[in-house]
Amino acid sequence: MTTFEQLRKEHPLFIYHSYELNEKSLMFHFQIDEFHFYPKWEFDRNYMYGHFSCLQLEKAAFSLGMAELVSYWKCACCPTVEIRCGGLSEWQKDWWKKLYYNGLGEFFYRNGINTDIESFMTINAPEPEPLPEIHADLHGFLRGALVPVGGGKDSAVTLELLKQAGEDITPYVINPRKATTGCVEAAGIASEKAVCPKRTIDKTLIELNSRGWLNGHTPFSAIVAFSALLHGIMLNTRYIALSNESSANETYVEGKNVNHQYSKSTEFERDFREYCTRSFGECPEYFSLLRPLSEWQIARAFVNYTRYFPVFQSCNLGGKTDVWCCNCAKCLYVYILLAAFLDDEALVKIFGTNMLEKTELSEMLDGLMLDGEDKPFECVGTKNEVRLSLSNALQMRRNNTPPLLKRFEERFPNYAPVDLTTFFDENNFVPDNFIEFVEKIAR
């Protein structure tokens, strides 16, 4: 019997007991047998609730708990989830099961779990309380864009585009660190304008993981989406503007539905927008401003904003200390993208070393650029984007070619780059008043 099967047999029930929302915090209570979990969000100010209904706010808080619970459920993969603090329609139950199943694709794959969307989970919940009719056009009262800022190049480009559009920007920073606050400052936005909640994981989960209970990747961007919605309702914002690009749609394992970035995909964005419309009525509009673009185009735009160079950082391993570790696939990927446009001196100033000289990263490079090789499980773009960037970088360094570019040239001796210069993914939800600013990057 596998660990997955054993844990499901020993722990058949997961309970979502409650959520407690006030002006200062939001706490959830989950349970697996004798183990209780109390994850918490602490707000950075006392919020005044505005034009949206209190029931909408309660539903948003409850839904954030639904997004959070999968991080705790996955340690035992209990076959039944019982909801005791809110209602769900059959359509909503199916919606959450789809998010969990696809968002856990990497978790299932890396833990060797064979399951299907029908049998991996049953959700039991009462019918939801209907929303009251809202006759006024609330959007006439709403203003500004709440912008999640993760500290990387993508959210920096979103901030700059919205500034060009003249939008009133409220940066949204979960668990702020030097890179995120630095990007807000580099954008010229006052630090007090940023909304910076603190999210805390219950330590019981970490303890169970240390005992051998299951662990792995979960759809964190869904947590970002629902927490941003909650704050958008509290702040009366018109938009929630994400920075997810077209390449977030690609699978990581050939022939399998395994996408590390599922909750950043167009599919999730479409589903989330529908969930908001059907579950909350009139509410802030969620969209990804960079969805029409490739990562290569975003990097091409980003290199023009040199004031972000000393502060931006998107390495997960070095995130707590705000450094580029320069040994992971995310660091290598970002380095390659920027090497298409920046010289070695500028890159070493950012990263601290020339990553194209690091032969120990050769296999990692293969995963990023070679068809038939699994992509590293990081937020990285398509292999076409990587190959185009490597080709551009190679042309800039013909007189002194570093080892990793020589490896690329050996693997692709007659490489004809895919032209991404004017790429534009029409499958997007960018509002009309912003689309012209995105189109400028694609020219």
Side-chain angles (χ1 to χ4, degrees), residues 68 77 127 130 143 180 191 267 286 311 314 321:
E68 286 275 18
C77 296
E127 283 294 312
R143 61 191 294 272
T180 49
S191 58
E267 181 178 1
Y286 175 98
V311 294
S314 53
T321 53

Side-chain angles (χ1 to χ4, degrees), residues 90-322:
E90 290 304 313
W91 177 83
Q92 288 172 319
K93 292 175 188 177
D94 289 341
W95 191 94
W96 285 105
K97 285 184 66 175
K98 179 184 178 184
L99 168 62
Y100 298 155
Y101 183 75
N102 290 323
L104 291 170
E106 177 186 333
F107 166 79
F108 291 143
Y109 175 74
R110 298 182 78 170
N111 282 285
I113 296 170
N114 294 313
T115 187
D116 58 73
I117 195 168
E118 297 300 327
S119 64
F120 88 104
M121 175 191 290
T122 297
I123 300 177
N124 294 328
E127 283 294 312
E129 182 180 355
L131 281 169
E133 289 190 29
I134 302 173
H135 298 289
D137 178 10
L138 289 181
H139 285 167
F141 296 99
L142 310 181
R143 61 191 294 272
L146 190 69
V147 182
V149 177
K153 63 181 177 11
D154 295 351
S155 53
V157 172
T158 291
L159 291 171
E160 292 299 319
L161 292 181
L162 290 176
K163 283 167 55 183
Q164 293 173 30
E167 189 60 54
D168 179 18
I169 299 169
T170 300
Y172 179 61
V173 182
I174 301 171
N175 293 348
R177 56 191 178 93
K178 183 179 178 181
T180 49
T181 56
C183 283
V184 171
E185 182 180 344
I189 301 173
S191 58
E192 60 268 21
K193 187 77 184 294
V195 173
C196 302
K198 179 183 178 183
R199 174 179 178 254
T200 305
I201 297 172
D202 191 291
K203 293 181 179 178
T204 303
L205 177 63
I206 300 171
E207 179 189 341
L208 292 178
N209 291 151
S210 69
R211 295 189 195 178
W213 291 41
L214 294 168
N215 195 11
H217 180 74
T218 57
F220 177 72
S221 292
I223 292 174
V224 176
F226 279 102
S227 66
L229 176 68
L230 176 71
H231 282 83
I233 289 174
M234 292 193 288
L235 294 165
N236 293 316
T237 54
R238 174 69 178 86
Y239 300 109
I240 298 170
L242 277 292
S243 306
N244 303 323
E245 72 293 326
S246 178
S247 60
N249 298 313
E250 188 179 65
T251 185
Y252 279 57
V253 181
E254 288 194 14
K256 294 183 180 293
N257 183 26
V258 178
N259 184 358
H260 176 81
Q261 301 187 82
Y262 174 76
S263 53
K264 292 184 176 181
S265 68
T266 305
E267 181 178 1
F268 173 75
E269 184 177 341
R270 180 184 298 109
D271 288 352
F272 184 79
R273 288 168 61 90
E274 183 182 7
Y275 193 90
C276 288
T277 299
R278 294 179 65 169
S279 303
F280 301 100
E282 196 114 35
C283 64
E285 182 179 358
Y286 175 98
F287 69 95
S288 296
L289 186 65
L290 306 185
R291 182 68 70 193
L293 304 173
S294 70
E295 279 270 49
W296 185 86
Q297 290 168 309
I298 295 167
R300 183 179 62 179
F302 175 73
V303 296
N304 295 309
Y305 309 129
T306 56
R307 60 188 175 278
Y308 290 93
F309 288 6
V311 294
F312 91 105
Q313 193 272 342
S314 53
C315 167
N316 293 318
L317 294 175
K320 291 184 179 180
T321 53
D322 286 294

Side-chain angles (χ1 to χ4, degrees), residues 380-409:
V380 297
T382 68
K383 294 183 179 182
N384 276 334
E385 290 169 336
V386 172
R387 292 191 287 253
L388 174 58
S389 298
L390 288 166
S391 178
N392 295 157
L394 178 62
Q395 297 307 315
M396 292 175 61
R397 295 162 177 81
R398 281 292 185 189
N399 295 330
N400 186 20
T401 306
L404 292 191
L405 290 184
K406 288 181 180 177
R407 187 179 183 88
F408 165 71
E409 190 172 27

